[in-house]
Amino acid sequence: MLGGCSSMNYMYYVRGNPYDYDNWASITNDDTWSYNNVLPYFIKSERLQDPNIWNTPNAAFHSSEGYLGVTKQYEKRTNKYLQAFSELGYNVVLDTNGNYTLGFTEPLLTMANGYRQSTAKTFLSPIENRSNLYVLKHTLVTKINFDEYNSAVSIEAIKENKEKITISANKEIIVSAGAINSPQLLMLSGIGPKKHLEDLNINVIADLPVGENLQNHISGISTYALEKIPEQSKNPHKYPQPTVMGFATMSNLQVYPDYQSVNLIVDSDYLLENCAFTNSFKKEICNTFYKQAKGREVMISQTVVLHPKSRGRILLRSINPSVHPEIFTGYFSDAADLENLALYIEHVNRVMMTSYFQGVNATFLIPPDCISNEPDSEEFWRCYALCMAMPMNHYIGTCAMGSVVDGRLKVFDVQRLRVVDGSVIPNMTSGNTNVPIIMVAEKAADFIKAENSYSH
């Protein structure tokens, strides 16, 4: 679909932490990616529609002029949960998108006037009649062609009717196919690990670590059954399931979060849908949880390891561009990630000791495979983390700045070729990746305009 993941995500507006971008600047040895230099691009794209934030010092971090409509969730049902996290010592804050990102809050959402603010709706729709925009749908780009000077000159593609076409570039080619398909296209075009390409008899244009450094946030789901509630009807044009979102650290000396806590307040029917369909857990787990939670309010708590150490990679399975590449996720290939996931889930579970959870006789739902473990033991939390782990679909890193592209997102060792998507992000941000990727696109637009002498 047009708009990529912004057309199907959970709509959370999360920028990450200043530490993330200063880290990018260090990796690329390019200060243009430092927090102070990316902040104007976060601000540029945003159209915040929230009167409360405008009356705080955090207003300096926001804009009301951009394409991307942003609103804040306000839902009375979250108050008791915010109070519970406050009892555990966390700050309750209005906005986590400024300089200080720690604490629990009701999130900002890429939602405005009752509608999802996808990049297709917000950036593409207003300019759909421009003479220099042409969107060719249902078309697969199969290869980038280079001349004898290693300059990208054209692309080959296959249309829906199987017609093969070639499109020439006057100035440059910009690849924006995401962290899975961008590396696939580069490798099919001869840019990638030399041995891997030679094994597939692909002519090597540039020997670069394309497809390596694949990263994703890994998370674990904890489920709590709380007070009895009547069934409620839902309006899709109002905010989605009420959410309490937190960013927490295990060290009081650290200014960036170790984990993100996304807490959906739902009913038992939504729990079943979320467990079986959205997250594809085993039916034994979903049925057990549903029976225990029937007729009660439920908190589905997703604990996210924000800075995983594990790395995966993308490899070609075939020189046929319609064959999906091999995706080696690498989840838990570094043992520290599983240890940390178990530790962070246990840390969040302290919510069971708070006044509200005690007062409604809250039930912490345990998957059948872990019931035989001694409660609260190291083995129990490890079992729980493994049973309830799931990826966040925040794929990044496979055409990373510093190794595949430079600080202007140009591919090393070739000319006239740039990559602009999540694959260029060298290290994971402290939160959802939608808004950081929009920021990368905003910066890339300025790079392109500056190098081609367009006015800003």
Side-chain angles (χ1 to χ4, degrees):
M1 69 184 90
L2 294 178
C5 292
S6 71
S7 294
M8 59 180 291
N9 66 4
Y10 273 62
M11 297 183 282
Y12 297 132
Y13 184 92
V14 177
R15 293 180 181 177
N17 186 277
Y19 160 87
D20 304 329
Y21 305 103
D22 291 339
N23 188 22
W24 293 11
S26 176
I27 289 170
T28 58
N29 197 28
D30 186 345
D31 193 55
T32 192
W33 293 102
S34 68
Y35 177 67
N36 287 339
N37 286 326
V38 302
L39 178 60
Y41 291 95
F42 282 118
I43 293 172
K44 178 184 179 183
S45 64
E46 183 193 39
R47 189 176 76 256
L48 177 65
Q49 301 173 326
D50 182 76
N52 295 319
I53 291 176
W54 288 120
N55 292 319
T56 72
N58 259 25
F61 298 96
H62 295 281
S63 167
S64 60
E65 304 295 324
Y67 281 122
L68 189 70
V70 177
T71 48
K72 183 172 170 65
Q73 172 201 290
Y74 291 102
E75 168 63 66
K76 289 180 182 176
R77 286 165 65 193
T78 65
N79 290 345
K80 57 201 175 190
Y81 297 96
L82 288 168
Q83 177 57 38
F85 286 112
S86 177
E87 272 185 50
L88 295 177
Y90 297 110
N91 290 331
V92 173
V93 296
L94 185 65
D95 176 29
T96 57
N97 286 293
N99 266 353
Y100 187 78
T101 65
L102 299 176
F104 277 71
T105 187
E106 287 189 273
L108 291 177
L109 298 160
T110 51
M111 190 172 182
N113 306 317
Y115 288 91
R116 170 189 291 273
Q117 300 291 287
S118 71
T119 53
K121 179 177 176 62
T122 57
F123 291 90
L124 203 55
S125 293
I127 56 113
E128 63 185 358
N129 294 320
R130 281 189 187 173
S131 60
N132 63 346
L133 173 69
Y134 187 80
V135 177
L136 197 58
K137 298 188 291 186
H138 308 295
T139 302
L140 177 67
V141 177
T142 59
K143 191 181 179 186
I144 302 161
N145 295 317
F146 296 87
D147 65 16
E148 65 269 29
Y149 305 108
N150 277 4
S151 292
V153 292
S154 66
I155 61 163
E156 296 175 12
I158 302 175
K159 296 175 73 172
E160 189 176 21
N161 62 3
K162 307 303 181 190
E163 178 192 354
K164 293 182 179 180
I165 59 173
T166 300
I167 302 174
S168 297
N170 291 328
K171 294 188 175 177
E172 66 175 301
I173 292 169
I174 301 159
V175 177
S176 187
I180 308 300
N181 294 113
S182 283
Q184 180 190 22
L185 178 58
L186 291 187
M187 287 189 283
L188 287 170
S189 307
I191 300 172
K194 183 178 180 182
K195 184 178 185 310
H196 179 51
L197 300 188
E198 287 178 342
D199 287 346
L200 289 163
N201 294 318
I202 295 173
N203 180 44
V204 179
I205 304 291
D207 179 13
L208 296 172
V210 172
E212 297 177 13
N213 192 45
L214 176 65
Q215 298 167 55
N216 190 10
H217 285 133
I218 196 75
S219 69
I221 302 291
S222 314
T223 308
Y224 301 88
L226 299 136
E227 59 192 292
K228 291 191 175 179
I229 55 166
E231 290 188 12
Q232 300 170 2
S233 61
K234 300 177 182 68
N235 180 348
H237 293 285
K238 293 204 168 170
Y239 293 115
Q241 302 300 338
T243 304
V244 171
M245 184 178 290
F247 297 90
T249 172
M250 302 298 287
S251 165
N252 292 330
L253 301 175
Q254 191 171 288
V255 295
Y256 62 90
D258 290 311
Y259 69 85
Q260 179 181 10
S261 177
V262 184
N263 303 281
L264 299 178
I265 315 306
V266 302
D267 58 25
S268 53
D269 286 347
Y270 183 91
L271 164 63
L272 185 61
E273 175 190 324
N274 181 271
C275 183
F277 176 71
T278 308
N279 298 334
S280 301
F281 286 119
K282 292 194 296 188
K283 66 180 181 182
E284 292 84 1
I285 293 174
C286 300
N287 287 337
T288 298
F289 285 8
Y290 181 66
K291 287 173 185 173
Q292 290 182 269
K294 184 70 175 163
R296 299 168 73 177
E297 185 163 276
V298 176
M299 184 176 91
I300 302 174
S301 183
Q302 188 165 23
T303 303
V304 185
V305 178
L306 288 176
H307 302 287
K309 294 179 168 58
S310 299
R311 297 290 184 269
R313 68 183 308 191
I314 304 294
L315 291 172
L316 296 177
R317 266 196 293 205
S318 167
I319 59 170
N320 181 348
S322 64
V323 174
H324 297 305
E326 284 192 289
I327 305 171
F328 296 93
T329 62
Y331 300 143
F332 302 135
S333 55
D334 189 311
D337 290 342
L338 180 56
E339 291 173 23
N340 285 333
L341 180 59
L343 179 66
Y344 301 157
I345 292 173
E346 183 181 6
H347 205 238
V348 170
N349 194 57
R350 296 177 303 140
V351 76
M352 284 290 287
M353 300 182 294
T354 60
S355 303
Y356 170 62
F357 279 65
Q358 294 274 308
V360 297
N361 197 23
T363 305
F364 174 48
L365 307 185
I366 299 170
D369 287 357
C370 300
I371 286 177
S372 60
N373 289 356
E374 182 184 340
D376 254 357
S377 65
E378 192 175 311
E379 292 75 18
F380 171 82
W381 289 113
R382 179 184 171 84
C383 175
Y384 192 96
L386 274 172
C387 264
M388 304 307 297
M390 58 166 290
M392 292 291 287
N393 301 325
H394 295 166
Y395 300 104
I396 62 142
T398 49
C399 301
M401 282 191 281
S403 60
V404 175
V405 301
D406 64 16
R408 295 298 182 275
L409 310 183
K410 292 181 173 182
V411 178
F412 289 125
D413 301 337
V414 299
Q415 280 73 52
R416 301 187 0 142
L417 181 62
R418 209 182 302 249
V419 181
V420 183
D421 57 32
S423 71
V424 305
I425 295 176
N427 257 6
M428 194 52 97
T429 56
S430 300
N432 309 64
T433 49
N434 180 41
V435 179
I437 291 170
I438 293 172
M439 177 276 291
V440 168
E442 289 279 19
K443 280 187 74 70
D446 267 6
F447 293 154
I448 293 162
K449 287 190 291 185
E451 288 169 30
N452 289 283
S453 302
Y454 292 122
S455 60
H456 287 239

